[in-house]
Amino acid sequence: PTNTARDVAGYLIRYKAGYGVNPDNVPQAIKQGIKAWVSIIQATRTIDPKNPPPEARVFLDLYRVPGVVIR
């Protein structure tokens, strides 16, 4: 690839994520998963952004894309 934005080798990856600007476009299961996660964070006062609790995963895993790893 032609990469003029960096001095060292690399790739530029562009992607779109999400459901747009309108909150009505977000699936109800994702909203429920986020609400569950937030309530657990509030109750336990611990945050682990990479590992949602099982109560939230029930909803969020419905929309997980296999093979994608976020670090």
Coordinates of all heavy atoms in Angstrom, one line a residue:
P1 N 0.8 -1.2 0.0 CA 0.0 0.0 0.0 C 0.9 1.3 0.0 O 2.0 1.3 0.5 CB -0.8 -0.1 1.3 CG 0.0 -1.0 2.2 CD 0.7 -1.9 1.2
T2 N 0.3 2.3 -0.6 CA 1.0 3.6 -0.5 C 0.6 4.3 0.7 O -0.6 4.5 0.9 CB 0.6 4.4 -1.8 OG1 0.9 3.7 -2.9 CG2 1.3 5.7 -1.8
N3 N 1.5 4.6 1.6 CA 1.2 5.2 2.9 C 2.0 6.4 3.0 O 3.2 6.3 3.4 CB 1.4 4.2 4.0 CG 0.9 4.7 5.3 OD1 0.6 5.9 5.5 ND2 0.8 3.8 6.3
T4 N 1.5 7.6 2.8 CA 2.2 8.8 2.9 C 2.0 9.5 4.2 O 2.6 10.5 4.5 CB 1.8 9.8 1.7 OG1 0.4 10.0 1.8 CG2 2.1 9.1 0.4
A5 N 1.1 8.9 5.0 CA 0.8 9.6 6.3 C 1.7 9.2 7.4 O 1.7 9.8 8.5 CB -0.6 9.3 6.7
R6 N 2.6 8.2 7.2 CA 3.5 7.8 8.3 C 4.9 7.7 7.7 O 5.2 7.5 6.6 CB 3.1 6.4 8.7 CG 1.8 6.4 9.4 CD 1.5 5.0 10.0 NE 0.3 5.0 10.7 CZ -0.2 4.0 11.4 NH1 0.5 2.9 11.4 NH2 -1.3 4.1 12.0
D7 N 5.9 7.8 8.6 CA 7.3 7.7 8.3 C 7.7 6.2 8.3 O 8.7 5.9 7.6 CB 8.2 8.4 9.3 CG 7.9 9.9 9.2 OD1 7.5 10.4 8.1 OD2 8.1 10.6 10.2
V8 N 7.0 5.4 9.0 CA 7.3 3.9 9.1 C 6.2 3.1 8.5 O 5.1 3.6 8.5 CB 7.6 3.6 10.6 CG1 8.0 2.1 10.7 CG2 8.6 4.5 11.2
A9 N 6.5 1.9 8.1 CA 5.5 1.0 7.5 C 4.2 0.9 8.3 O 4.2 0.9 9.5 CB 6.1 -0.3 7.2
G10 N 3.1 0.8 7.7 CA 1.8 0.6 8.4 C 0.7 0.7 7.4 O 0.8 0.9 6.2
Y11 N -0.5 0.4 7.9 CA -1.7 0.4 7.1 C -2.7 1.4 7.7 O -2.7 1.5 8.9 CB -2.4 -1.0 7.1 CG -1.6 -2.0 6.3 CD1 -0.7 -2.8 6.9 CD2 -1.8 -2.1 4.9 CE1 0.0 -3.8 6.2 CE2 -1.1 -3.1 4.2 CZ -0.2 -3.9 4.9 OH 0.5 -4.8 4.2
L12 N -3.5 2.0 6.9 CA -4.5 2.9 7.4 C -5.9 2.1 7.2 O -6.2 1.7 6.1 CB -4.6 4.2 6.6 CG -5.7 5.1 6.9 CD1 -5.7 5.6 8.4 CD2 -5.7 6.3 6.0
I13 N -6.6 1.9 8.2 CA -7.8 1.2 8.2 C -9.0 2.1 8.5 O -8.9 2.8 9.6 CB -7.8 0.0 9.1 CG1 -6.7 -1.0 8.7 CG2 -9.2 -0.7 9.1 CD1 -6.5 -2.1 9.7
R14 N -10.0 2.2 7.7 CA -11.1 3.0 8.0 C -12.3 2.1 8.1 O -12.5 1.2 7.3 CB -11.4 4.0 6.8 CG -10.3 5.1 6.8 CD -10.6 6.1 5.7 NE -9.5 7.0 5.6 CZ -9.3 7.9 4.7 NH1 -10.2 8.0 3.8 NH2 -8.2 8.6 4.7
Y15 N -13.2 2.4 9.1 CA -14.4 1.6 9.2 C -15.5 2.5 9.8 O -15.2 3.5 10.5 CB -14.1 0.4 10.1 CG -13.8 0.8 11.5 CD1 -14.8 0.8 12.5 CD2 -12.5 1.1 11.9 CE1 -14.5 1.1 13.8 CE2 -12.2 1.4 13.2 CZ -13.2 1.5 14.2 OH -12.9 1.8 15.5
K16 N -16.7 2.1 9.7 CA -17.8 2.7 10.3 C -18.4 1.7 11.3 O -18.5 0.5 11.1 CB -18.9 3.0 9.3 CG -18.7 4.3 8.5 CD -20.0 4.6 7.7 CE -20.0 6.0 7.2 NZ -21.2 6.3 6.4
A17 N -18.8 2.3 12.4 CA -19.3 1.4 13.5 C -20.5 2.2 14.1 O -20.6 3.4 14.1 CB -18.3 1.2 14.6
G18 N -21.4 1.4 14.6 CA -22.6 2.0 15.3 C -23.8 2.0 14.5 O -23.9 1.4 13.4
Y19 N -24.8 2.7 15.0 CA -26.2 2.6 14.4 C -26.7 4.0 14.0 O -27.8 4.2 13.9 CB -27.2 2.0 15.4 CG -26.9 0.5 15.5 CD1 -26.1 0.0 16.5 CD2 -27.5 -0.4 14.7 CE1 -25.9 -1.3 16.7 CE2 -27.3 -1.7 14.8 CZ -26.5 -2.2 15.8 OH -26.3 -3.5 15.9
G20 N -25.7 4.9 13.8 CA -26.1 6.2 13.3 C -26.4 7.2 14.4 O -26.1 6.9 15.6
V21 N -26.9 8.4 14.1 CA -27.1 9.4 15.0 C -28.4 9.2 15.9 O -28.5 9.6 17.0 CB -27.2 10.8 14.3 CG1 -27.4 11.9 15.3 CG2 -25.9 11.0 13.5
N22 N -29.4 8.6 15.3 CA -30.7 8.5 15.9 C -30.7 7.3 16.9 O -30.5 6.2 16.5 CB -31.8 8.3 14.8 CG -33.2 8.3 15.4 OD1 -33.4 8.3 16.6 ND2 -34.1 8.3 14.5
P23 N -30.9 7.6 18.2 CA -30.9 6.5 19.2 C -32.0 5.5 19.0 O -31.9 4.4 19.5 CB -31.1 7.2 20.5 CG -31.3 8.6 20.3 CD -31.1 8.9 18.8
D24 N -33.0 5.8 18.2 CA -34.1 4.8 17.9 C -33.6 3.7 17.0 O -34.2 2.6 16.9 CB -35.3 5.5 17.2 CG -36.0 6.5 18.2 OD1 -35.9 6.3 19.4 OD2 -36.6 7.5 17.7
N25 N -32.4 3.9 16.4 CA -31.9 2.9 15.5 C -31.1 1.8 16.2 O -30.8 0.8 15.7 CB -30.9 3.5 14.4 CG -31.7 4.4 13.5 OD1 -32.9 4.2 13.3 ND2 -31.0 5.3 12.8
V26 N -30.8 2.1 17.5 CA -30.0 1.1 18.3 C -30.9 0.0 18.8 O -32.0 0.3 19.3 CB -29.4 1.8 19.6 CG1 -28.6 0.8 20.4 CG2 -28.5 2.9 19.1
P27 N -30.6 -1.2 18.5 CA -31.5 -2.3 18.9 C -31.7 -2.3 20.4 O -30.9 -2.0 21.3 CB -30.7 -3.6 18.5 CG -29.8 -3.1 17.5 CD -29.4 -1.7 17.8
Q28 N -32.9 -2.7 20.8 CA -33.3 -2.7 22.2 C -32.4 -3.6 23.1 O -32.2 -3.3 24.2 CB -34.8 -3.2 22.3 CG -35.4 -2.9 23.7 CD -35.4 -1.5 24.1 OE1 -35.6 -0.6 23.2 NE2 -35.3 -1.2 25.4
A29 N -32.0 -4.7 22.5 CA -31.1 -5.6 23.3 C -29.8 -5.0 23.7 O -29.3 -5.2 24.8 CB -30.8 -6.9 22.5
I30 N -29.3 -4.1 22.8 CA -28.0 -3.4 23.1 C -28.3 -2.4 24.2 O -27.5 -2.3 25.2 CB -27.4 -2.8 21.9 CG1 -26.9 -3.8 20.9 CG2 -26.3 -1.8 22.3 CD1 -26.4 -3.3 19.6
K31 N -29.4 -1.7 24.1 CA -29.8 -0.7 25.2 C -29.9 -1.4 26.5 O -29.4 -1.0 27.6 CB -31.1 0.0 24.8 CG -30.9 0.9 23.7 CD -32.3 1.6 23.4 CE -32.3 2.4 22.1 NZ -33.6 3.0 21.9
Q32 N -30.6 -2.6 26.6 CA -30.7 -3.4 27.8 C -29.4 -3.8 28.3 O -29.2 -3.8 29.6 CB -31.6 -4.6 27.6 CG -33.1 -4.2 27.4 CD -33.9 -5.4 27.1 OE1 -33.7 -6.1 26.1 NE2 -34.9 -5.6 27.9
G33 N -28.5 -4.3 27.5 CA -27.2 -4.7 27.9 C -26.4 -3.6 28.5 O -25.7 -3.8 29.5
I34 N -26.4 -2.4 27.9 CA -25.7 -1.2 28.5 C -26.3 -0.9 29.8 O -25.6 -0.6 30.8 CB -25.8 -0.1 27.5 CG1 -24.9 -0.4 26.3 CG2 -25.3 1.2 28.1 CD1 -25.0 0.6 25.1
K35 N -27.6 -0.9 29.9 CA -28.3 -0.6 31.2 C -27.9 -1.5 32.3 O -27.6 -1.2 33.4 CB -29.8 -0.5 31.1 CG -30.3 0.6 30.3 CD -31.8 0.6 30.1 CE -32.4 1.7 29.3 NZ -33.8 1.6 29.0
A36 N -27.8 -2.8 32.0 CA -27.4 -3.9 32.9 C -25.9 -3.6 33.4 O -25.6 -3.7 34.5 CB -27.6 -5.2 32.3
W37 N -25.1 -3.3 32.4 CA -23.7 -3.1 32.7 C -23.5 -1.9 33.6 O -22.8 -2.0 34.6 CB -23.0 -2.9 31.4 CG -21.5 -3.1 31.4 CD1 -20.7 -3.2 32.5 CD2 -20.6 -3.1 30.3 NE1 -19.3 -3.3 32.1 CE2 -19.3 -3.3 30.8 CE3 -20.8 -3.1 28.9 CZ2 -18.2 -3.4 29.9 CZ3 -19.7 -3.2 28.1 CH2 -18.4 -3.3 28.6
V38 N -24.2 -0.8 33.3 CA -24.1 0.4 34.1 C -24.6 0.2 35.5 O -23.9 0.6 36.5 CB -24.8 1.6 33.4 CG1 -24.9 2.8 34.3 CG2 -24.1 2.0 32.1
S39 N -25.6 -0.6 35.7 CA -26.2 -0.8 37.0 C -25.2 -1.7 37.8 O -25.0 -1.5 39.0 CB -27.5 -1.5 37.0 OG -27.5 -2.7 36.4
I40 N -24.5 -2.6 37.2 CA -23.5 -3.4 37.9 C -22.3 -2.6 38.2 O -21.7 -2.7 39.3 CB -23.1 -4.6 37.0 CG1 -24.3 -5.6 37.0 CG2 -21.9 -5.3 37.5 CD1 -24.2 -6.7 35.9
I41 N -21.9 -1.7 37.3 CA -20.8 -0.8 37.7 C -21.1 0.1 38.9 O -20.3 0.2 39.8 CB -20.4 0.1 36.4 CG1 -19.7 -0.7 35.4 CG2 -19.5 1.3 36.9 CD1 -19.6 0.0 34.0
Q42 N -22.3 0.6 38.9 CA -22.7 1.4 40.0 C -22.8 0.6 41.3 O -22.4 1.1 42.4 CB -24.1 2.0 39.7 CG -24.6 3.0 40.8 CD -25.9 3.6 40.5 OE1 -26.6 3.2 39.6 NE2 -26.2 4.7 41.2
A43 N -23.3 -0.6 41.3 CA -23.4 -1.4 42.5 C -22.0 -1.9 43.0 O -21.8 -1.9 44.2 CB -24.3 -2.6 42.2
T44 N -21.1 -2.2 42.1 CA -19.8 -2.8 42.5 C -18.7 -1.8 42.5 O -17.6 -2.0 43.1 CB -19.4 -3.9 41.6 OG1 -19.2 -3.4 40.2 CG2 -20.4 -5.1 41.6
R45 N -18.9 -0.7 41.9 CA -17.8 0.4 41.7 C -16.6 -0.1 41.1 O -15.5 0.3 41.4 CB -17.5 1.0 43.1 CG -18.7 1.6 43.8 CD -19.1 2.9 43.1 NE -20.1 3.6 43.9 CZ -21.0 4.3 43.4 NH1 -21.1 4.5 42.1 NH2 -21.9 4.9 44.1
T46 N -16.7 -1.1 40.2 CA -15.6 -1.6 39.4 C -15.9 -1.5 37.9 O -17.0 -1.8 37.5 CB -15.2 -3.0 39.8 OG1 -16.4 -3.9 39.5 CG2 -14.8 -3.2 41.2
I47 N -14.9 -1.1 37.1 CA -15.1 -0.9 35.7 C -14.1 -1.8 35.0 O -12.9 -1.7 35.2 CB -15.0 0.5 35.3 CG1 -16.1 1.4 36.0 CG2 -15.1 0.7 33.8 CD1 -15.9 2.9 35.8
D48 N -14.5 -2.7 34.1 CA -13.7 -3.4 33.2 C -14.2 -3.3 31.8 O -15.1 -4.0 31.4 CB -13.6 -4.9 33.6 CG -12.6 -5.7 32.8 OD1 -12.0 -5.1 31.9 OD2 -12.5 -6.9 33.1
P49 N -13.8 -2.3 31.1 CA -14.4 -2.0 29.8 C -14.2 -3.1 28.7 O -14.9 -3.1 27.7 CB -13.7 -0.7 29.3 CG -12.4 -0.6 30.1 CD -12.7 -1.4 31.4
K50 N -13.3 -4.0 28.9 CA -13.0 -5.0 27.9 C -13.9 -6.3 28.2 O -14.0 -7.1 27.3 CB -11.6 -5.4 27.9 CG -10.7 -4.3 27.4 CD -9.2 -4.8 27.3 CE -8.3 -3.7 26.9 NZ -6.9 -4.1 26.9
N51 N -14.4 -6.4 29.4 CA -15.1 -7.6 29.8 C -16.4 -7.3 30.5 O -16.5 -7.1 31.7 CB -14.2 -8.5 30.7 CG -13.0 -8.9 30.1 OD1 -13.0 -9.5 29.1 ND2 -11.9 -8.6 30.7
P52 N -17.5 -7.2 29.7 CA -18.8 -6.9 30.3 C -19.2 -8.1 31.2 O -18.8 -9.2 30.9 CB -19.7 -6.8 29.1 CG -19.0 -7.1 27.9 CD -17.6 -7.3 28.3
P53 N -20.0 -7.8 32.3 CA -20.4 -8.9 33.1 C -21.4 -9.8 32.4 O -22.0 -9.4 31.4 CB -21.1 -8.1 34.3 CG -21.4 -6.8 33.7 CD -20.4 -6.5 32.7
P54 N -21.5 -11.0 32.9 CA -22.4 -12.0 32.2 C -23.9 -11.5 32.0 O -24.5 -11.8 31.1 CB -22.4 -13.2 33.1 CG -21.2 -13.1 33.9 CD -20.9 -11.6 34.0
E55 N -24.3 -10.7 33.0 CA -25.7 -10.2 32.9 C -25.9 -9.2 31.7 O -26.9 -9.2 31.1 CB -26.1 -9.4 34.2 CG -26.1 -10.2 35.4 CD -24.7 -10.3 36.1 OE1 -23.7 -9.9 35.5 OE2 -24.7 -10.9 37.2
A56 N -24.8 -8.6 31.3 CA -24.8 -7.7 30.1 C -24.5 -8.4 28.9 O -25.1 -8.2 27.8 CB -23.9 -6.5 30.3
R57 N -23.6 -9.4 29.0 CA -23.3 -10.2 27.8 C -24.4 -10.9 27.2 O -24.5 -11.2 26.0 CB -22.2 -11.3 28.2 CG -20.8 -10.7 28.2 CD -19.8 -11.8 28.3 NE -18.5 -11.3 28.3 CZ -17.8 -11.1 27.1 NH1 -18.4 -11.3 26.0 NH2 -16.6 -10.6 27.2
V58 N -25.4 -11.3 28.0 CA -26.6 -12.0 27.5 C -27.2 -11.2 26.3 O -27.6 -11.7 25.3 CB -27.6 -12.2 28.6 CG1 -28.9 -12.7 28.0 CG2 -27.1 -13.2 29.6
F59 N -27.2 -9.9 26.5 CA -27.8 -9.0 25.5 C -26.8 -8.6 24.4 O -27.1 -8.6 23.2 CB -28.3 -7.7 26.2 CG -29.4 -8.0 27.2 CD1 -29.1 -7.9 28.6 CD2 -30.7 -8.3 26.8 CE1 -30.1 -8.1 29.5 CE2 -31.7 -8.6 27.7 CZ -31.4 -8.5 29.1
L60 N -25.6 -8.2 24.9 CA -24.6 -7.7 23.9 C -24.0 -8.7 23.0 O -23.7 -8.4 21.8 CB -23.5 -7.0 24.7 CG -23.9 -5.9 25.6 CD1 -22.7 -5.4 26.5 CD2 -24.5 -4.7 24.8
D61 N -23.9 -10.0 23.4 CA -23.4 -11.0 22.6 C -24.2 -11.3 21.3 O -23.8 -11.9 20.4 CB -23.1 -12.3 23.3 CG -21.8 -12.2 24.2 OD1 -21.1 -11.2 24.0 OD2 -21.6 -13.1 25.0
L62 N -25.5 -10.9 21.4 CA -26.4 -11.1 20.3 C -25.9 -10.3 19.0 O -26.2 -10.7 17.9 CB -27.8 -10.7 20.6 CG -28.5 -11.4 21.7 CD1 -29.8 -10.7 22.0 CD2 -28.8 -12.9 21.3
Y63 N -25.1 -9.3 19.3 CA -24.6 -8.4 18.2 C -23.1 -8.5 18.1 O -22.5 -7.6 17.3 CB -25.1 -7.0 18.5 CG -26.6 -6.9 18.3 CD1 -27.4 -7.1 19.4 CD2 -27.2 -6.6 17.1 CE1 -28.8 -7.1 19.3 CE2 -28.6 -6.6 17.0 CZ -29.4 -6.8 18.1 OH -30.7 -6.8 18.0
R64 N -22.5 -9.4 18.7 CA -21.0 -9.5 18.6 C -20.6 -10.0 17.2 O -21.2 -11.0 16.7 CB -20.5 -10.4 19.7 CG -19.0 -10.6 19.7 CD -18.5 -11.4 20.8 NE -18.7 -10.7 22.1 CZ -17.9 -9.9 22.6 NH1 -16.8 -9.5 22.0 NH2 -18.1 -9.3 23.8
V65 N -19.6 -9.5 16.7 CA -19.1 -9.9 15.4 C -17.9 -10.9 15.7 O -16.9 -10.5 16.3 CB -18.6 -8.7 14.5 CG1 -18.0 -9.2 13.2 CG2 -19.7 -7.8 14.3
P66 N -18.0 -12.2 15.3 CA -17.0 -13.1 15.6 C -15.6 -12.8 15.0 O -15.6 -12.3 13.9 CB -17.5 -14.4 15.0 CG -18.9 -14.2 14.7 CD -19.1 -12.7 14.5
G67 N -14.6 -13.0 15.7 CA -13.2 -12.8 15.2 C -12.7 -11.3 15.4 O -11.6 -11.1 15.0
V68 N -13.5 -10.5 15.9 CA -13.1 -9.1 16.2 C -12.5 -9.0 17.6 O -13.2 -9.3 18.5 CB -14.2 -8.1 15.9 CG1 -13.7 -6.7 16.3 CG2 -14.7 -8.1 14.5
V69 N -11.3 -8.5 17.7 CA -10.7 -8.4 19.1 C -10.4 -6.9 19.3 O -9.7 -6.3 18.4 CB -9.4 -9.2 19.2 CG1 -8.7 -9.0 20.5 CG2 -9.7 -10.7 18.9
I70 N -10.8 -6.4 20.4 CA -10.5 -5.0 20.8 C -9.5 -5.0 21.9 O -9.8 -5.6 22.9 CB -11.8 -4.2 21.1 CG1 -12.8 -4.3 20.0 CG2 -11.5 -2.8 21.6 CD1 -14.1 -3.7 20.3
R71 N -8.4 -4.3 21.7 CA -7.4 -4.3 22.8 C -7.2 -2.9 23.3 O -7.3 -2.0 22.6 CB -6.1 -4.8 22.2 CG -6.2 -6.3 21.8 CD -4.8 -6.7 21.2 NE -5.0 -8.0 20.6 CZ -4.6 -9.2 21.1 NH1 -4.0 -9.2 22.3 NH2 -4.8 -10.3 20.5

